[in-house]
Amino acid sequence: ALLGLLPNSAVSVEYHSLFGTQEDLMLLEVDDELLPEFLHRRLVALRGQIDEDAVLCTASKTYAVKFVGSSNSVFLIPPSDEDDGRRRVVSVIKVASGCMELVEVAPKLDELKVLLSRNPYSFAEASEFNFPDEEECTRLGLFRWDDLVDRLQASDSELRMGLQSLSAIEIDGFWRMLDEDYMNSLVNIFLHNITLNDWSVNALIKDEVVAALQTDGFPRNISEHCFELYCSRVVDEGCMWKLNEKRVCVHLARETLKTGKMKKEMFMEKWSGKVPIGISLSFDVLEGEVLIEKMGVETWVKLFSVSSLPSSPAERFARLFEERPKWDWKDLEPFVRDLKVPGLSSEGLLLKYTRRSQPSADSEPAFSAR
């Protein structure tokens, strides 16, 4: 009714017979980049619990949904208006006071670790022959993929990345984290088998390693999961893998420090004793995993992993300044570099949440809470 209007022409407006508040009708403004997600029937969904503000998720991104009021009147006109033959008349079914806009935001995945940590897969469960039924799984607090999609404000792609960052595995249809003792035992036997069989850490055959772990009593799917976590495929060598040295070293460092902080010299001695022959050891791989503390003439090492910190910038910086009231940039940077806020640069994050001090032009900048 409106698209065919010529310049300087007019159209009459009247109330539709169903004119009213029409609370079930809302306008959503979508930019050109996002429009194909709607028009081509791709995965687009509103997600959120009843006590949360809803977010809109595409296959790969998450958007906050914000209502923006308008000072102009926006008339909603159904497509069934008729021309009475003498003049064009359009019927208005609703007057919209604004529309919903989409703003890209970071996914809310902190709850994912909380959910999966409630009941990790352990030695006790691995030794059971009967898997619990559906009712028992609900009681135990186990989550399928659809359960996680329903509870978490994240796109499917972001949720999969979150599961990957937690080293989660799907077991009998449920996403699980492995119990710390179970994982430590699995990795230690995995590394022991490499030494025992005199396998090169740069030329591992997946089927051989997995078969050895199965012989030691670990299920095939969990053995493959461990192998793929701590190995990477050698480029141009289809069946050959190599040990992921950084991931192995970080795991063994965490295991070494799990009882508490220790002097750096003692830590290095115990840590190096756990690392298989053929792996080069460097303290640099522990960036973002440990903190160095100076106590007089002694240097101490303690666990402080970026993976244990909140993903929300406000909560992240609060936790960091709870640990230390002032940070040198070289110490702070590993714990904030992963923060991503759409529309806000890393410098913008620092300006928003910290105060920078620098006694002289050639001195290291320090950051404290704003």
Side-chain angles (χ1 to χ4, degrees):
L2 299 179
L3 292 178
L5 284 178
L6 298 174
N8 300 318
S9 60
V11 64
S12 296
V13 176
E14 67 181 10
Y15 287 112
H16 193 281
S17 60
L18 298 177
F19 180 86
T21 57
Q22 303 292 340
E23 295 297 337
D24 58 334
L25 294 178
M26 293 293 295
L27 293 180
L28 176 65
E29 184 174 343
V30 179
D31 62 29
D32 291 340
E33 180 183 347
L34 194 55
L35 191 58
E37 301 284 346
F38 291 82
L39 300 183
H40 299 159
R41 297 184 178 275
R42 296 173 185 163
L43 177 62
V44 178
L46 287 168
R47 293 177 180 171
Q49 296 297 298
I50 196 168
D51 58 344
E52 297 175 319
D53 292 332
V55 297
L56 184 139
C57 294
T58 64
S60 59
K61 294 182 179 180
T62 302
Y63 297 85
V65 184
K66 306 289 185 182
F67 180 80
V68 179
S70 172
S71 58
N72 297 320
S73 295
V74 179
F75 295 161
L76 300 189
I77 303 168
S80 58
D81 293 299
E82 298 178 358
D83 193 333
D84 63 6
R86 291 170 298 174
R87 60 176 181 169
R88 299 184 64 114
V89 179
V90 294
S91 300
V92 176
I93 197 170
K94 177 184 177 179
V95 178
S97 59
C99 68
M100 309 300 286
E101 289 187 353
L102 302 177
V103 179
E104 187 180 348
V105 294
K108 297 181 179 178
L109 289 173
D110 286 345
E111 189 187 2
L112 179 61
K113 184 174 183 178
V114 175
L115 294 176
L116 299 189
S117 296
R118 290 176 182 172
N119 196 344
Y121 190 81
S122 64
F123 277 114
E125 189 172 341
S127 64
E128 295 177 359
F129 293 100
N130 296 320
F131 190 78
D133 58 25
E134 194 73 25
E135 183 176 339
E136 181 69 4
C137 289
T138 301
R139 187 187 69 79
L140 292 172
L142 304 184
F143 299 91
R144 299 185 186 274
W145 170 260
D146 288 344
D147 300 325
L148 297 175
V149 168
D150 183 59
R151 295 189 61 138
L152 298 168
Q153 294 190 326
S155 69
D156 286 7
S157 176
E158 292 164 332
L159 179 53
R160 291 192 187 281
M161 289 177 63
L163 290 167
Q164 185 178 6
S165 71
L166 294 174
S167 301
I169 176 176
E170 191 175 15
I171 301 175
D172 295 304
F174 295 91
W175 282 95
R176 312 288 300 276
M177 289 172 61
L178 299 182
D179 174 78
E180 183 178 349
D181 290 339
Y182 189 87
M183 178 59 93
N184 286 340
S185 176
L186 177 57
V187 174
N188 288 337
I189 291 176
F190 165 48
L191 297 177
H192 174 71
N193 283 339
I194 291 176
T195 303
L196 184 66
N197 293 286
D198 197 27
W199 290 328
S200 169
V201 295
N202 294 313
L204 296 170
I205 298 175
K206 180 178 179 179
D207 287 343
E208 287 184 353
V209 178
V210 170
L213 288 172
Q214 286 184 268
T215 301
D216 289 315
F218 294 100
R220 181 172 183 83
N221 63 330
I222 293 179
S223 299
E224 289 182 340
H225 175 69
C226 174
F227 182 86
E228 291 171 3
L229 276 178
Y230 291 96
C231 298
S232 54
R233 195 184 296 272
V234 179
V235 179
D236 299 328
E237 294 288 344
C239 62
M240 203 67 68
W241 297 66
K242 64 179 180 180
L243 211 59
N244 186 320
E245 296 187 4
K246 178 176 180 179
R247 181 162 284 188
V248 169
C249 288
V250 168
H251 175 87
L252 296 175
R254 289 175 177 172
E255 188 179 7
T256 303
L257 291 168
K258 66 181 180 181
T259 56
K261 65 182 180 182
M262 62 179 63
K263 293 180 181 179
K264 187 176 180 179
E265 295 80 6
M266 181 180 294
F267 163 73
M268 293 299 295
E269 180 181 344
K270 291 189 174 183
W271 183 37
S272 61
K274 294 177 181 287
V275 175
I277 297 174
I279 294 183
S280 55
L281 201 63
S282 170
F283 196 81
D284 293 340
V285 302
L286 300 183
E287 186 181 67
E289 297 293 337
V290 300
L291 281 181
I292 297 294
E293 295 182 346
K294 297 284 188 179
M295 301 179 67
V297 296
E298 296 178 336
T299 302
W300 293 72
V301 183
K302 64 177 289 188
L303 273 180
F304 191 76
S305 177
V306 66
S307 63
S308 67
L309 300 176
S311 61
S312 160
E315 295 177 12
R316 173 76 64 88
F317 281 101
R319 176 67 185 89
L320 288 170
F321 291 122
E322 180 184 302
E323 178 67 25
R324 286 182 180 177
K326 182 174 287 190
W327 289 76
D328 291 335
W329 174 241
K330 61 180 176 59
D331 295 330
L332 178 64
E333 196 267 342
F335 297 101
V336 298
R337 84 163 58 111
D338 68 308
L339 288 176
K340 297 289 186 290
V341 178
L344 194 61
S345 65
S346 299
E347 293 76 12
L349 279 172
L350 291 174
L351 283 172
K352 185 174 182 179
Y353 294 105
T354 71
R355 294 183 185 277
R356 172 178 171 143
S357 59
Q358 194 170 6
S360 62
D362 58 347
S363 62
E364 180 81 11
F367 297 84
S368 56
R370 179 168 286 281

